[in-house]
Amino acid sequence: MDKSGMDKSVRSFGSQDKLRKLENKDSLFLCVIATTLTSRIPGITGAGASPELTDYTPAADVELIAHGAPKCLPEIPQTVVDGGAAPTPAVITKASLEMADIPFLVADAGSAVKPGLPYVNINDKQGENIVTGKAVSNPLEIFNKGIILGKTLSKLTDHLVIGESTPAGTTTALGVLEAMGYEAWGKISGSTPENPHSLKRQTVEQGLETAGLASEIPLDPFQAVGTVGDPMIPAVAGITAGSTVPVTLAGGTQMTAVCAFLKEAVENFDFQDVSIATTIFVATDETADINYIARQIAPIDIFAVDPGFEKSENQGLQKYTQGAVKEGAGAGGAMFAAQLKGVHIDDIRLKTEELCREIF
Amino acid sequence: MDKSGMDKSVRSFGSQDKLRKLENKDSLFLCVIATTLTSRIPGITGAGASPELTDYTPAADVELIAHGAPKCLPEIPQTVVDGGAAPTPAVITKASLEMADIPFLVADAGSAVKPGLPYVNINDKQGENIVTGKAVSNPLEIFNKGIILGKTLSKLTDHLVIGESTPAGTTTALGVLEAMGYEAWGKISGSTPENPHSLKRQTVEQGLETAGLASEIPLDPFQAVGTVGDPMIPAVAGITAGSTVPVTLAGGTQMTAVCAFLKEAVENFDFQDVSIATTIFVATDETADINYIARQIAPIDIFAVDPGFEKSENQGLQKYTQGAVKEGAGAGGAMFAAQLKGVHIDDIRLKTEELCREIF
């Protein structure tokens, strides 16, 4: 393990057996993209230079990973913080996958802007603003298509790593968790240092009230996503349910919503072969508590990778250590998967810095 | 080799070394679907019960392979011949892939009707009727996306088998071959016993004349596809060009158009790692000559599989031996890939008959 620096860089809230089981396996990284009109609410997300530009963030993220530059818009997604800009976590994902030679695929669960590369179509239509209480019109269809995709992809790899890019996705994850009866108020992470908890809560509550379901909680998972969720959640849950190989959910608190969905949508779902891998920035986020949420669902192994950005000369990456961005495009899980294949965390950081110099 | 009956059932116009090289490799079967309005010309294709229904054939074919039944239309694609009906070759593909446990993926190069399963989006828009001389608006974009997909998929398998479902695809393949300066009039196969050669030729000639390019032959491959081709051809060519593992083009004379495209689009393209695998019905088609076309392009290994349908009790499958259907949805290449993994041709036939009983 030491050769990849895992002992020091990975904070594990899970079993060491799991780590050994996943080591040196062939991995496939799938990034599931989606948008909802929720991200247009001013101040709710940092994943884009303006609320309108958040529509482009998922497509631009996966284009950056595949091509080294976004094709769908001239600007590269950055989060503006205190007058400076932190680069999209897609750069970390790209660095990790390239160093470990891990194949990269994209699936569209419903993104407003489609990426300029071949992608797996699961669902065309983006989600609504969840304040309407009509977030996603076809969660069952998305889940079922996800199952088919998970079955297929697990014939092509030994370890499926699933990331996501969904602007305002922590708000829709909060919606799904709360609608399903979990205690998640104030526990969900966010892409800005000042996590706008009350705005997120108001948005979710308004959606549940508009739908006339505020007093019907807990909702079933499909109703929860349909009312106040996003299309990424049933897609990733379906892919995970369909997989016959171990799955690493590459994301932060949003992936707990996927786990909650799975627990209720699949009878006796076994979390033995499912882990969450995220960044240390999510795991140590003082404005959130991923473990508190996960504990309510099931014993889920959570791994948190520390890329050591405090050592970085890149000021944008340093902003991650001050609470900006934190996670996205499966950055934490991509680092985790690269380390499992023997790549050292210091090399991932150096490669990320190199890409930042080239790209920005 | 004998255990799969290859010695007797595969007619090889290629090297035995190639066969040995491909044996027992992990294969991935990709079916590329597309439609053009060319298939609306009455009498030009048998791939659908009526010209309008040919829009549904590719989606229905891949749904049949994945789900055992089409979802996009109530009827199953059949070719009506002499008062009887021959089942879609997708049944043969399904039987072969299931028996050999070969993973199945779908890519859309531009089909009017989208299938009800996850598929890789390469291109959204179907092709025009080639009589307009404006068949495909973006062949270079499709080719380039194909290259990316080929690179990705070849990281996930040791042998890429690429089939296609494109109604009236022999007419558009004829268009591309003729536009590129090959002698293909009367040499291209078709899905009906009476191959409508003069209708196909008129259609191609009209397209070239309308575009004002009849006297400019040979055209470059992108112009050829753009004028009188279909979106499947640059997609499959791109995937093949991007692949780093051996590719089997699973189809009949249409795949020679893919090879011609590749030869001109990629400088010094090496056909060493590319084969065509089709059915015996194409190879022995007296109304066509796949070898005559292929010889003009390059030394390309061609394998033709005989499923022994004359032994079948199923009257629909027997119609294949009378010149109906012949090939499609990669049937020949799927049988070939299954045999390479040790499945006997007699078992493929029995499984095809079983599926016919279940499905039709």
Side-chain angles (χ1 to χ4, degrees), chain B residues 270-337:
Chain B
D270 183 3
F271 284 93
Q272 190 63 38
D273 273 336
V274 175
S275 315
I276 292 177
T278 186
T279 64
I280 197 75
F281 314 115
V282 168
T284 61
D285 183 357
E286 288 175 3
T287 76
D289 194 339
I290 187 170
N291 287 304
Y292 182 87
I293 303 171
R295 271 198 305 271
Q296 298 173 56
I297 303 165
I300 301 163
D301 290 311
I302 300 179
F303 302 98
V305 183
D306 182 358
F309 282 168
E310 70 284 352
K311 297 179 223 161
S312 177
E313 288 170 16
N314 184 302
Q315 295 198 331
L317 294 178
Q318 275 195 14
K319 292 203 178 292
Y320 277 67
T321 66
Q322 295 146 29
V325 189
K326 293 190 190 73
E327 168 65 291
M335 291 192 286
F336 180 70

Side-chain angles (χ1 to χ4, degrees), chain B residues 135-256:
Chain B
V136 179
S137 61
N138 55 343
L140 179 61
E141 186 194 335
I142 296 173
F143 179 69
N144 283 333
K145 284 198 182 165
I147 291 175
I148 299 171
L149 182 61
K151 276 186 192 166
T152 304
L153 294 183
S154 56
K155 289 184 184 177
L156 302 171
T157 187
D158 298 322
H159 174 209
L160 201 50
V161 185
I162 314 176
E164 60 71 41
S165 181
T166 320
T170 54
T171 302
T172 44
L174 174 67
V176 170
L177 287 164
E178 282 294 333
M180 290 179 70
Y182 293 94
E183 274 183 49
W185 299 133
K187 304 295 183 191
I188 204 101
S189 217
S191 54
T192 51
E194 312 76 23
N195 198 341
H197 282 306
S198 56
L199 175 58
K200 290 179 180 181
R201 181 171 183 156
Q202 279 163 26
T203 305
V204 170
E205 285 179 337
Q206 194 181 334
L208 288 167
E209 270 156 37
T210 309
L213 293 168
S215 58
E216 306 286 320
I217 290 166
L219 307 181
D220 81 57
F222 297 98
Q223 211 177 6
V225 166
T227 309
V228 285
D230 64 61
M232 178 280 288
I233 292 170
V236 174
I239 299 163
T240 307
S243 174
T244 56
V245 298
V247 172
T248 295
L249 298 171
T253 43
Q254 291 175 251
M255 289 304 182
T256 62

Side-chain angles (χ1 to χ4, degrees), chain A residues 178 235 336:
Chain A
E178 282 293 332
F336 180 70

Side-chain angles (χ1 to χ4, degrees), chain A residues 72-264:
Chain A
C72 64
L73 83 174
E75 259 179 295
I76 291 156
Q78 305 206 30
T79 300
V80 180
V81 213
D82 300 337
T88 169
V91 190
I92 306 169
T93 306
K94 183 177 178 63
S96 307
L97 300 182
E98 285 186 4
M99 294 215 65
D101 197 23
I102 295 172
F104 171 66
L105 270 180
V106 176
D108 178 27
S111 179
V113 177
K114 306 303 182 193
L117 49 87
Y119 61 86
V120 181
N121 173 296
I122 296 177
N123 178 54
D124 259 337
K125 226 181 87 196
Q126 75 168 330
E128 296 295 323
N129 184 332
I130 64 170
V131 295
T132 63
K134 292 176 179 173
V136 179
S137 62
N138 55 344
L140 179 61
E141 186 194 336
I142 295 172
F143 179 68
N144 284 334
K145 285 200 182 161
I147 290 175
I148 298 171
L149 182 61
K151 277 186 193 167
T152 304
L153 295 182
S154 55
K155 289 183 184 178
L156 302 171
T157 187
D158 298 320
H159 175 210
L160 201 51
V161 184
I162 314 174
E164 59 71 40
S165 181
T166 320
T170 55
T171 301
T172 43
L174 175 67
V176 170
L177 287 163
E178 282 293 332
M180 291 180 69
Y182 292 94
E183 274 183 48
W185 300 132
K187 305 294 184 192
I188 205 101
S189 218
S191 55
T192 51
E194 312 74 24
N195 198 339
H197 282 306
S198 54
L199 176 58
K200 291 179 180 180
R201 179 171 186 156
Q202 278 164 27
T203 304
V204 170
E205 285 178 338
Q206 195 182 333
L208 289 167
E209 270 155 36
T210 309
L213 292 168
S215 58
E216 305 287 320
I217 290 165
L219 306 182
D220 81 58
F222 297 97
Q223 211 177 7
V225 166
T227 309
V228 286
D230 64 60
M232 178 279 290
I233 292 169
V236 175
I239 298 163
T240 307
S243 174
T244 55
V245 299
V247 172
T248 295
L249 298 171
T253 43
Q254 291 175 250
M255 290 303 182
T256 62
V258 171
C259 291
F261 186 102
L262 272 167
K263 187 187 176 187
E264 303 297 330

